[in-house]
Amino acid sequence: TSGASGDDEIAAAVAEARAETAKATQQLGKMRNAAQHWKKQHDKVKADLDAAIQARDKAVAEAHRAIERSVECQVEAARWNVDAATANVAAADAEKRAEEMAAEA
């Protein structure tokens, strides 16, 4: 009977090992699922970050274009101011000449 009880002990040990293996396999599956979940979360956050970086880069580029346009407008306004000043001087000269001609006449 000692052989039978030894077989029983082996069978019990094998059954316990199988149960532990099944439990470990189940836990491994849960860990894999969790890892996949966090990988998806990481990918989503990375995509959001990439989109934010692209939006920032676009906004910076637009700001630079706006600054360049503002400078162009300031230069153009200065040109118009010079033209207006020149026209005012010419008008004053013409008015002075007209007064001189009227005085001579």
Side-chain angles (χ1 to χ4, degrees):
T1 59
S2 65
S5 68
D7 288 346
D8 290 345
E9 286 177 18
I10 291 171
V14 168
E16 185 177 342
R18 284 185 178 148
E20 288 296 321
T21 299
K23 185 176 174 183
T25 300
Q26 187 179 26
Q27 287 177 334
L28 180 60
K30 287 180 183 177
M31 289 178 187
R32 280 190 182 137
N33 288 341
Q36 286 175 347
H37 168 77
W38 290 113
K39 170 93 171 72
K40 286 178 187 173
Q41 292 297 315
H42 168 267
D43 291 347
K44 183 182 182 307
V45 169
K46 184 167 180 343
D48 290 348
L49 178 62
D50 289 345
I53 288 169
Q54 286 178 347
R56 181 209 57 202
D57 291 348
K58 183 179 178 186
V60 167
E62 287 175 3
H64 285 152
R65 282 192 295 275
I67 290 167
E68 289 171 6
R69 185 69 185 122
S70 173
V71 170
E72 290 169 5
C73 289
Q74 289 173 359
V75 168
E76 195 62 28
R79 284 189 188 131
W80 281 101
N81 285 337
V82 168
D83 289 348
T86 303
N88 284 338
V89 168
D93 284 349
E95 189 176 329
K96 186 177 178 185
R97 267 190 258 118
E99 287 173 4
E100 288 172 355
M101 290 168 75
E104 289 175 4

